[in-house]
Amino acid sequence: MNTREITVTVNGKRLTETVETRILLADFIRDHLNLTGTHLGCEHGVCGACTVLVDGKAARSCLMLAVQADGSSVDTVESLVNEDGTLHPLQQAFSDNHALQCGFCTPGFMMTLVDFLNENPNPNETEIREAISGNLCRCTGYANIVKAVEQASHALAKQGE
Ligand code: FES
Ligand code: FES
């Protein structure tokens, strides 16, 4: 078994771990770090459920090896909630707008959207739909997700005022 030591900052904490060179970033996050909010659906880069931020950019953790994240910072859905337990505006907006049912796809949507709203804080509906076009939801449908993103973008703009 080939192993390598990697140092990664995950949700703000710097960690050094020895990993198998072939382990996926998604499996490292879930199985080594026990951060099971990152979900694995297709494991082929299609569904978006495994999306995390790598150095602030949305990335599919099923398409990356853990060793490729060496030296990077990785943020998972667990990073969104505030220390006092209050929800991130995206989490609050998904809840308020019934933008999830089973929730399997939701962490991937959220991490995709964190990156998107950083880049485009005031998106229109077309831009939102384009941004989430790589994330599959099999049970909620997309209308409420779009509404949630609109609410979150307004809330984030207010936070920044
Ligand atoms: S599990 Fe990674 S894109 Fe589907
Ligand atoms: S809420 Fe069930 S797959 Fe999206």
Side-chain angles (χ1 to χ4, degrees):
M1 177 168 81
N2 284 333
T3 59
R4 201 171 118 191
E5 191 175 89
I6 60 170
T7 299
V8 193
T9 301
V10 180
N11 298 342
K13 279 193 199 139
R14 194 176 152 90
L15 308 166
T16 298
E17 298 268 336
T18 300
V19 297
E20 266 190 75
T21 49
R22 63 180 193 151
I23 194 173
L24 295 175
L25 178 60
D27 291 327
F28 171 69
I29 290 168
R30 289 178 55 82
D31 300 338
H32 279 238
L33 306 182
N34 209 23
L35 293 169
T36 53
T38 299
H39 293 160
L40 274 167
C42 65
E43 298 189 59
H44 284 91
V46 176
C47 73
C50 66
T51 305
V52 297
L53 300 184
V54 177
D55 293 330
K57 301 304 296 174
R60 303 203 160 195
S61 59
C62 74
L63 293 184
M64 264 183 86
L65 296 169
V67 291
Q68 291 177 291
D70 188 21
S72 296
S73 102
V74 174
D75 292 298
T76 69
V77 71
E78 285 88 350
S79 69
L80 294 185
V81 71
N82 295 309
E83 274 178 18
D84 65 1
T86 53
L87 298 179
H88 183 281
L90 268 169
Q91 293 173 309
Q92 189 62 55
F94 267 62
S95 172
D96 292 347
N97 291 280
H98 308 290
L100 68 154
Q101 287 187 60
C102 77
F104 189 85
C105 66
T106 311
F109 270 90
M110 289 198 179
M111 300 319 283
T112 299
L113 288 163
V114 168
D115 180 16
F116 171 62
L117 290 174
N118 279 340
E119 293 292 323
N120 186 352
N122 189 22
N124 62 35
E125 182 180 339
T126 305
E127 291 166 333
I128 294 169
R129 286 185 179 275
E130 200 169 303
I132 59 174
S133 61
N135 290 76
L136 303 183
C137 177
R138 296 186 70 178
C139 54
T140 300
Y142 296 88
N144 287 359
I145 294 174
V146 171
K147 276 193 224 159
V149 181
E150 285 168 347
Q151 177 180 314
S153 72
H154 297 146
L156 285 163
K158 269 199 175 160
Q159 272 186 2
E161 279 172 5

